[in-house]
Coordinates of all heavy atoms in Angstrom, one line a residue:
K9 N 44.3 37.9 16.3 CA 44.3 37.6 17.7 C 43.0 37.1 18.2 O 41.9 37.4 17.6 CB 44.7 38.9 18.5 CG 43.7 40.0 18.3 CD 44.1 41.2 19.1 CE 43.0 42.3 18.9 NZ 43.2 43.4 19.7
S10 N 43.0 36.4 19.3 CA 41.8 36.0 20.0 C 41.9 36.4 21.4 O 42.9 36.0 22.1 CB 41.6 34.4 19.8 OG 40.5 34.0 20.7
E11 N 41.0 37.1 21.9 CA 41.0 37.5 23.3 C 39.9 36.9 24.1 O 38.8 36.8 23.6 CB 41.0 39.1 23.4 CG 42.2 39.7 22.8 CD 42.1 41.3 22.8 OE1 41.0 41.8 23.1 OE2 43.1 41.9 22.5
E12 N 40.2 36.5 25.3 CA 39.2 36.0 26.2 C 39.2 36.8 27.5 O 40.2 37.0 28.1 CB 39.4 34.6 26.5 CG 39.3 33.6 25.3 CD 39.5 32.2 25.7 OE1 39.2 31.8 26.9 OE2 39.8 31.4 24.8
C13 N 38.0 37.4 27.8 CA 37.9 38.2 29.1 C 36.7 37.6 29.9 O 35.6 37.6 29.4 CB 37.7 39.6 28.7 SG 39.0 40.4 27.8
E14 N 37.0 37.2 31.1 CA 36.0 36.7 32.0 C 35.7 37.8 33.0 O 36.7 38.5 33.5 CB 36.4 35.4 32.7 CG 36.9 34.3 31.7 CD 35.9 33.2 31.6 OE1 35.0 33.2 32.5 OE2 36.0 32.4 30.7
R15 N 34.5 37.9 33.4 CA 34.2 38.9 34.4 C 35.0 38.7 35.7 O 35.1 37.6 36.2 CB 32.7 38.8 34.8 CG 32.3 39.9 35.8 CD 30.8 39.9 36.0 NE 30.3 40.5 34.8 CZ 29.0 40.5 34.6 NH1 28.1 40.0 35.4 NH2 28.5 41.1 33.5
G16 N 35.6 39.8 36.1 CA 36.5 39.8 37.3 C 37.8 39.1 37.1 O 38.6 39.1 38.0
E17 N 38.2 38.7 35.9 CA 39.5 38.1 35.6 C 40.2 38.9 34.6 O 39.6 39.7 33.9 CB 39.3 36.7 35.0 CG 38.6 35.7 36.0 CD 39.4 35.3 37.2 OE1 40.6 35.2 37.0 OE2 38.8 35.1 38.2
E18 N 41.5 38.7 34.6 CA 42.4 39.4 33.6 C 42.1 38.8 32.2 O 42.0 37.6 32.1 CB 43.8 39.3 34.0 CG 44.8 40.1 33.2 CD 46.2 40.1 33.9 OE1 46.7 39.0 34.1 OE2 46.7 41.2 34.0
C19 N 42.2 39.6 31.2 CA 42.0 39.1 29.8 C 43.3 38.4 29.4 O 44.4 38.7 29.9 CB 41.8 40.3 28.9 SG 40.2 41.2 29.1
T20 N 43.1 37.4 28.5 CA 44.2 36.8 27.9 C 44.1 36.9 26.3 O 43.0 37.0 25.8 CB 44.3 35.3 28.3 OG1 43.1 34.6 27.8 CG2 44.5 35.1 29.8
T21 N 45.3 36.9 25.7 CA 45.3 37.0 24.2 C 46.2 35.9 23.6 O 47.2 35.6 24.2 CB 45.9 38.4 23.8 OG1 45.1 39.4 24.4 CG2 46.0 38.6 22.3
T22 N 45.7 35.3 22.5 CA 46.5 34.4 21.8 C 46.6 34.9 20.4 O 45.7 35.4 19.8 CB 45.7 33.0 21.7 OG1 45.5 32.5 23.0 CG2 46.6 32.0 20.9
G38 N 51.1 29.8 24.0 CA 49.8 29.8 24.6 C 49.4 31.2 24.9 O 50.1 32.2 24.6
P39 N 48.3 31.4 25.5 CA 47.8 32.8 25.7 C 48.6 33.5 26.7 O 49.3 32.9 27.6 CB 46.4 32.6 26.3 CG 46.2 31.1 26.5 CD 47.3 30.4 25.9
V40 N 48.7 34.8 26.5 CA 49.4 35.7 27.5 C 48.4 36.6 28.1 O 47.4 37.0 27.5 CB 50.6 36.5 26.8 CG1 51.6 35.6 26.3 CG2 50.0 37.4 25.7
A41 N 48.7 37.0 29.4 CA 47.8 38.0 30.0 C 47.9 39.3 29.4 O 49.0 39.8 29.0 CB 48.2 38.1 31.5
G42 N 46.8 40.0 29.3 CA 46.8 41.4 28.7 C 45.9 41.4 27.5 O 45.4 40.4 27.0
V43 N 45.9 42.6 26.9 CA 45.1 42.9 25.7 C 46.1 43.3 24.6 O 46.9 44.3 24.8 CB 44.1 44.0 26.0 CG1 43.3 44.4 24.7 CG2 43.1 43.6 27.0
A44 N 46.0 42.7 23.5 CA 46.9 43.0 22.3 C 46.4 44.0 21.4 O 45.2 44.1 21.2 CB 47.2 41.7 21.6
S45 N 47.3 44.9 21.0 CA 46.9 45.9 20.0 C 48.1 46.0 19.0 O 49.1 45.5 19.2 CB 46.5 47.2 20.6 OG 47.7 47.7 21.3
Y57 N 53.5 42.7 18.4 CA 52.3 43.3 18.9 C 52.6 44.0 20.2 O 53.6 43.8 20.9 CB 51.1 42.4 19.0 CG 51.3 41.3 20.0 CD1 50.7 41.4 21.3 CD2 52.0 40.1 19.7 CE1 50.8 40.4 22.2 CE2 52.1 39.1 20.7 CZ 51.5 39.2 21.9 OH 51.7 38.2 22.8
I58 N 51.7 44.9 20.5 CA 51.7 45.6 21.8 C 50.7 44.9 22.8 O 49.6 44.6 22.4 CB 51.3 47.1 21.6 CG1 52.3 47.9 20.7 CG2 51.1 47.8 23.0 CD1 53.6 48.1 21.3
D59 N 51.2 44.7 24.0 CA 50.4 44.0 25.0 C 50.3 45.0 26.2 O 51.3 45.5 26.7 CB 51.1 42.7 25.4 CG 50.5 42.0 26.6 OD1 49.2 42.1 26.7 OD2 51.2 41.4 27.4
T60 N 49.0 45.3 26.5 CA 48.8 46.3 27.6 C 48.1 45.5 28.8 O 47.1 44.8 28.6 CB 47.8 47.4 27.1 OG1 48.4 48.0 26.0 CG2 47.7 48.4 28.2
R61 N 48.8 45.7 29.9 CA 48.2 45.1 31.2 C 48.4 46.1 32.3 O 49.5 46.6 32.5 CB 49.0 43.8 31.5 CG 48.4 43.0 32.5 CD 49.1 41.7 32.7 NE 50.1 41.4 31.8 CZ 51.3 40.8 32.1 NH1 51.5 40.5 33.3 NH2 52.2 40.6 31.1
D62 N 47.3 46.6 32.8 CA 47.3 47.6 33.8 C 48.0 48.9 33.2 O 47.6 49.3 32.1 CB 47.9 47.2 35.1 CG 47.2 46.0 35.8 OD1 46.0 46.0 35.7 OD2 47.9 45.1 36.3
R68 N 55.9 42.7 22.2 CA 56.1 41.2 22.1 C 56.3 40.8 20.6 O 55.7 41.5 19.7 CB 54.9 40.5 22.7 CG 54.8 40.7 24.2 CD 53.6 39.9 24.7 NE 53.4 40.1 26.1 CZ 53.9 39.2 27.1 NH1 54.6 38.2 26.7 NH2 53.7 39.4 28.3

Side-chain angles (χ1 to χ4, degrees):
K9 65 181 180 175
S10 172
E11 293 178 349
E12 293 184 26
C13 299
E14 306 253 347
R15 180 173 288 171
E17 298 291 322
E18 190 170 50
C19 295
T20 60
T21 300
T22 302
V40 296
V43 176
S45 64
Y57 64 100
I58 297 293
D59 174 33
T60 305
R61 192 171 356 139
D62 299 321
R68 295 181 178 265

